[in-house]
Amino acid sequence: SYVFCRPGQEDCRLPDSPFVWEGYDGSHVLAVRPWGFYLSALGRAVEKVSSYLKARPQDNPGIMLWGVGDHGGGPSRADVQALDEMTAAGGEAHLLHSTPEAYFAEVRAQGKDLPVRRADINPWGVGCYSSMSLSKYKHRLLENELYASEKMLAAAWAQGLLEYPQAELREAQRDLATAEFHDILPGSSIQPVEEMALRLMDHGLEILSRVKARAFFALAAGQPPAAEGQIPILVYNPHPYPVEALVECEFQLADQNWGSDFTIATAYQGEQALPTQVEQELSNLNLDWRKRVVFRARLEPSQMNRFDCRLARVPARPRPAQPEGDAIHFSNGAMEVTINRRTGLIDSYQVGGQDLLRPNAAQMLVMADSPDPWGMRVRRFRRRAGAFRLLTPRKSAWLAGIRAKSLEPVRIIEDGEARTVVEALFGFGNSYLVARYKLPKQGAEIEIEVRVHWNEKDRMLKLALPFAGGQARLLGQTAYGVEALPVNGNEVVAQKWLALVPKDGVGPALTVINDRTYGADCRRGELRLTLLRSPGYAAHPILDRPVLPEDRYSPRIDQGERLFRFWLEGGLAAERLAAVDRQALAHNERPVALSFFPNGSGEKPGPAVILSDAVVQVTAVKRAEDGQGMVIRLYEPTGQSRTTTVRLPFAGLEKQVHLKGFEVRTLKVDWKTGQWAEVNLMEEPLAAVPAAETGSS
């Protein structure tokens, strides 16, 4: 059951009585939005009860929330006494202090047909989708690291390679849960709370970095020592399906090279050379010593993948050639991209000969906003205050911090066998922006990296992507589902991806994956992703009074440097919607790459969990909370029924599972006995499955 107060009736039309809220897979929860919100003023609880009885005399049973304070629930002695006197006096209504559980039990006992809601109950406080972007990023990162760490730790624990660190994981879980509290994750707190939340999430991240490192080294058992002169790179893919990825990893050469020649590296998988390039490393030592390699690879599921870099010397460090003319044209056989050197924007993006973006795509728009971090009084942010424009060569040199007095604002900064990287420098008002377009030599996915130096007030930053398909539906990932979102310009919220698809579902579609943002809007086929706001801290609009003090400087949210990443890919709608959920998870729960010299001891562990199909997700692999067996959570992300086979190669077990569209099923398996059982989200058993029916061997 679910009790809530926001949004109000003016934002979301809902029944005034209890209703059934139905999920994407047909499951449901009993819900109610109580009359009169969740609090009452000090000493005025009786007044609120009386108003409720006059407004809702037909309710039987009825529910009303009271209590002093921001979130209700704080009873005062005076109010308790007054309510007791009101109850003792009697009347047409029988009043009692009770619980939501008792209320819903009585509703169920009546057996009435209740209205059904088959949609979300957004929006409210649309500024909260984007306020305090750094807190939102850390939350997403902690969430992703928790799930990825559990998958790696479960694989190592199940094969006897380490003890499962349940206590440490629970501590990180508590950090994550605390960060999701009202006014922390929404970004509507005061500044000390923001600082506390970042400290809290970093605490959880540090715990997970340690236990994940333990899992990584345990899972590296049995890897042979490196051959003389070669640099090994180990990459663990935590997902139960192959991942095609551009692997990025740094390592140190055996010794410094102070000469003018340069060391290049090629990654090999066995005896197969992979498309590889050396890019600018994270350090800035102008010396041939530290290396950053980028290579294209297929990562096998739920196991350690081994690559070895072979080194060679060339006379000088390779430098990318700069094209002539007003455009940079890129083609790899799967896609064609044109970047305008006069604007720094994408003029064309084609996949399979189909246009996906209209000219001037990836423009950074600045929208008029307010000091209110909640965005209480608005539904949309559509009034333009301007846009970031390409810098002059002189200003570009200043922003880049180089000795030269001139730098072309649009340049190719990396180019090789793996990808081409184009950098463009922009400015607006007191703010600057560095955009990098990363174009792979294989596949149709574009990465857009945006580094913003933000110093605006009452402004919002949006990344505009005008869809070449014109009018389109907007779909967004939500918790275990896909939501059809408004395309009227109102601010919307989604999780790891959004998709622009033709209204009839046929033809080209554009998917956009992120690893740290939630807000967006769409109108007339143009998707605008919300990156930043600049409101005050806990600045609450009250009547017509000024939102912020007008006699002093007030600190603003999200001032300074912020970083964002998006991955765009076009293709046929059905294909994109079938693939995007797994791609989004791979970008968020990234495979772990490390240059590590194994000593050859131990035995190679087998893959932990593998799925047979190309769509179904595994959202969790972990030790069961009771310590008895492994929990595997499956989810169907497209709305289409399908069947998959779950294999545990290390144990010689497999089980076929059928899922309805958007269904979540959680399995618990004891690989020692071969016994499978289905459990709910709380890991309570639903039905045991005999070992003979599981296909175990």
Side-chain angles (χ1 to χ4, degrees), residues 518-696:
Y518 299 91
D521 74 69
C522 185
R523 188 166 181 241
R524 295 175 181 169
E526 182 176 70
L527 175 62
R528 296 178 176 180
L529 307 167
T530 307
L531 277 63
L532 283 170
R533 302 185 65 217
S534 50
Y537 285 94
H540 197 303
I542 296 175
L543 303 176
D544 60 352
R545 302 166 187 167
V547 177
L548 292 174
E550 306 228 327
D551 62 343
R552 68 197 66 213
Y553 167 85
S554 294
R556 296 295 188 114
I557 292 172
D558 271 327
Q559 303 293 281
E561 185 175 320
R562 297 291 185 270
L563 184 68
F564 302 89
R565 289 190 179 93
F566 302 95
W567 293 267
L568 283 59
E569 186 165 351
L572 294 177
E575 295 174 1
R576 290 307 311 132
L577 294 177
V580 66
D581 227 72
R582 284 190 173 184
Q583 290 175 338
L585 199 63
H587 280 305
N588 278 263
E589 297 177 31
R590 299 177 68 117
V592 185
L594 183 68
S595 178
F596 164 59
F597 283 79
N599 62 17
S601 63
E603 295 184 8
K604 282 187 182 180
V609 180
I610 296 179
L611 292 189
S612 65
D613 75 301
V615 176
V616 171
Q617 280 281 31
V618 167
T619 62
V621 178
K622 57 193 282 290
R623 191 184 78 167
E625 292 298 311
D626 63 7
Q628 304 301 309
M630 179 188 290
V631 164
I632 304 168
R633 184 159 297 124
L634 305 174
Y635 161 58
E636 199 295 311
T638 69
Q640 305 295 318
S641 295
R642 61 186 81 240
T643 299
T644 189
T645 298
V646 184
R647 293 177 51 229
L648 276 61
F650 76 92
L653 294 174
E654 65 178 45
K655 176 175 171 57
Q656 191 176 79
V657 181
H658 179 75
L659 296 102
K660 298 181 296 182
F662 296 125
E663 185 176 13
V664 181
R665 294 186 68 178
T666 305
L667 306 176
K668 184 178 179 182
V669 56
D670 185 336
W671 61 89
K672 297 175 183 176
T673 64
Q675 191 76 18
W676 298 78
E678 186 161 1
V679 297
N680 63 19
L681 295 178
M682 300 300 294
E683 300 182 19
E684 299 162 335
L686 297 180
V689 181
E693 298 178 17
T694 67
S696 59

Side-chain angles (χ1 to χ4, degrees), residues 388 391 426-433 452-456 559:
F388 277 78
L391 296 179
F426 301 86
F428 171 86
N430 297 310
S431 301
Y432 297 93
L433 187 148
V452 190
H453 300 270
W454 184 246
N455 196 33
E456 305 304 312
Q559 303 293 281

Side-chain angles (χ1 to χ4, degrees), residues 254-453:
D255 197 9
Q256 303 170 0
N257 173 23
W258 286 72
S260 59
D261 55 351
F262 187 78
T263 305
I264 59 172
T266 301
Y268 280 75
Q269 193 166 24
E271 291 302 313
Q272 181 184 1
L274 302 175
T276 311
Q277 66 196 62
V278 176
E279 295 188 352
Q280 173 63 44
E281 63 274 17
L282 293 177
S283 64
N284 290 290
L285 296 178
N286 194 358
L287 190 68
D288 185 31
W289 189 21
R290 182 76 174 173
K291 295 294 167 180
R292 181 177 185 83
V293 294
V294 180
F295 58 92
R296 185 89 183 182
R298 172 188 166 98
L299 305 176
E300 295 304 320
S302 195
Q303 60 189 285
M304 192 67 75
N305 293 260
R306 170 72 176 260
F307 307 94
D308 291 282
C309 289
R310 301 180 187 180
L311 309 176
R313 291 282 182 92
V314 293
R317 180 171 192 148
R319 301 291 180 184
Q322 299 300 325
E324 297 181 357
D326 292 337
I328 297 173
H329 300 286
F330 176 90
S331 177
N332 66 5
M335 68 173 175
E336 294 184 10
V337 180
T338 300
I339 297 173
N340 191 317
R341 298 184 72 192
R342 291 181 177 271
T343 64
L345 305 177
I346 299 174
D347 270 356
S348 175
Y349 169 48
Q350 293 185 345
V351 178
Q354 295 276 357
D355 285 312
L356 275 303
L357 291 173
R358 302 197 300 270
N360 293 320
Q363 187 174 31
M364 304 301 302
L365 302 178
V366 181
M367 316 305 294
D369 201 349
S370 76
D372 169 18
W374 287 271
M376 295 181 185
R377 296 176 175 175
V378 297
R379 285 279 195 91
R380 61 178 63 187
F381 304 93
R382 295 287 302 182
R383 186 161 61 89
R384 282 182 58 163
F388 277 78
R389 303 294 182 194
L390 208 60
L391 296 179
T392 65
R394 186 177 184 86
K395 196 70 172 180
S396 295
W398 170 84
L399 179 61
I402 63 176
R403 292 183 298 172
K405 293 186 178 181
S406 179
L407 179 68
E408 283 299 314
V410 182
R411 287 151 287 102
I412 296 175
I413 60 170
E414 303 287 357
D415 192 31
E417 294 180 350
R419 66 184 178 187
T420 298
V421 181
V422 179
E423 181 178 272
L425 306 179
F426 301 86
F428 171 86
N430 297 310
S431 301
Y432 297 93
L433 187 148
V434 181
R436 288 182 175 173
Y437 306 105
K438 301 181 181 181
L439 311 174
K441 296 299 175 70
Q442 296 178 38
E445 183 182 77
I446 301 174
E447 179 182 342
I448 300 179
E449 178 188 280
V450 180
R451 186 180 299 273
V452 190
H453 300 270

